[in-house]
Amino acid sequence: MKTHYNIVCVKYGTKYNSDRVDRLYRMVEKNCSLPFSFYCLTEDKSQKWRYPLDLDLDLESYWWKIQLFNLSWKNPTLYFDLDIVIQSNIDSLLQRIEKNKILIIKPDWPDIQDTVLWDHDAIVNSSVLGIYPTSVTPVYERFIASKDYNIIKYRGLDRYLSDNHLSLCNYLQFNYDYYHRWKNDDTPNKYCKGAYAHDPRKTLCIISQEEPEMYFGLEKYF
């Protein structure tokens, strides 16, 4: 029997409009040859592909991704942030998802796995997540058991996973799967040049601390 995959995003509040969900779907449809269903976890009842968020959790906007670990889905599931740009076929990403593991981004920093977490800095990036949801529910259960404490301590899913669930992580390949465009000073155009120039050899472009200029040269993928 052929495996059926889930591909999902999360949209909460007004940071992104529905056009971003539509854009992600177009990129997935163009770059996936495997059977898939597409979902958007959202509170917006008008949103196409809607899968309802559990609003009783009363979370900050960037914490809603934690619900990925409380889905009843038994199929391999690939999550994308809405600012991701998909540049080529994602079949290999889907096929690398394993039960009881989290497929995730590890920024290309040397010896990152031996790094001590100072002030709970994140050493994984959850812009992309691959899981079998029902096999990783302890991630959600541990978070909910001390929800208020975790929200204050970690300030986001990346830090929570880095400090509590690193042993579950398998990593995407920096040399093949993805590259970053991210803002680390006040000059947005800098991130489309030099080390952060467009790399068409890689499957994904990860946009961080988004600025409109970071999409320069990527429009053909939308």
Side-chain angles (χ1 to χ4, degrees):
M1 185 176 178
K2 201 168 186 179
T3 301
H4 190 92
Y5 297 88
N6 299 318
I7 298 178
V8 61
C9 60
V10 175
K11 178 187 174 299
Y12 180 84
T14 59
K15 180 178 181 180
Y16 297 117
N17 59 30
S18 294
D19 290 344
R20 282 301 187 90
V21 181
D22 296 341
R23 187 178 81 180
L24 179 62
Y25 177 80
R26 290 195 303 271
M27 290 189 290
V28 169
E29 187 178 42
K30 183 165 62 173
N31 290 291
C32 183
S33 65
L34 302 171
F36 73 89
S37 296
F38 186 87
Y39 299 97
C40 176
L41 274 61
T42 182
E43 88 289 9
D44 182 358
K45 294 182 180 179
S46 67
Q47 176 62 58
K48 191 176 181 180
W49 302 294
R50 174 178 178 261
Y51 190 97
L53 290 169
D54 181 3
L55 297 180
D56 290 338
L57 293 176
D58 191 26
L59 299 172
E60 298 289 338
S61 59
Y62 51 77
W63 273 111
W64 287 106
K65 282 194 280 186
I66 195 67
Q67 191 168 326
L68 295 167
F69 297 92
N70 192 41
L71 297 170
S72 60
W73 304 343
K74 297 181 179 180
N75 291 2
T77 297
L78 187 61
Y79 163 85
F80 291 117
D81 273 355
L82 284 172
D83 54 8
I84 290 285
V85 178
I86 301 174
Q87 299 189 164
S88 64
N89 187 276
I90 62 171
D91 291 1
S92 67
L93 306 186
L94 291 162
Q95 292 168 334
R96 271 185 269 164
I97 299 171
E98 299 179 26
K99 288 184 177 179
N100 306 306
K101 290 290 184 179
I102 303 169
L103 184 67
I104 197 167
I105 293 169
K106 180 178 71 172
D108 190 37
W109 303 333
D111 302 320
I112 191 169
Q113 200 133 12
D114 298 323
T115 301
V116 176
L117 297 184
W118 295 104
D119 192 29
H120 307 292
D121 287 331
I123 61 175
V124 296
N125 181 313
S126 62
S127 297
V128 180
L129 280 172
I131 55 175
Y132 280 78
T134 56
S135 78
V136 288
T137 53
V139 174
Y140 175 84
E141 292 164 354
R142 181 169 179 170
F143 172 82
I144 289 297
S146 302
K147 184 184 77 168
D148 293 340
Y149 171 81
N150 287 326
I151 287 173
I152 292 170
K153 181 176 181 180
Y154 293 114
R155 306 190 311 279
L157 183 62
D158 295 4
R159 294 175 178 87
Y160 170 72
L161 292 176
S162 295
D163 210 16
N164 294 283
H165 299 288
L166 207 59
S167 63
L168 300 181
C169 293
N170 287 335
Y171 299 112
L172 295 172
Q173 300 169 15
F174 181 80
N175 292 330
Y176 178 76
D177 294 325
Y178 68 94
Y179 68 104
H180 287 281
R181 286 187 180 180
W182 56 11
K183 184 178 184 298
N184 56 17
D185 68 17
D186 296 324
T187 314
N189 284 329
K190 173 181 177 181
Y191 308 98
C192 301
K193 301 176 183 177
Y196 299 103
H198 175 224
D199 191 342
R201 300 167 299 173
K202 299 189 179 182
T203 305
L204 306 172
C205 178
I206 312 301
I207 306 291
S208 182
Q209 301 182 44
E210 178 179 301
E211 295 287 341
E213 291 89 344
M214 291 186 189
Y215 290 99
F216 179 77
L218 302 176
E219 297 87 352
K220 63 183 178 180
Y221 298 113
F222 302 164

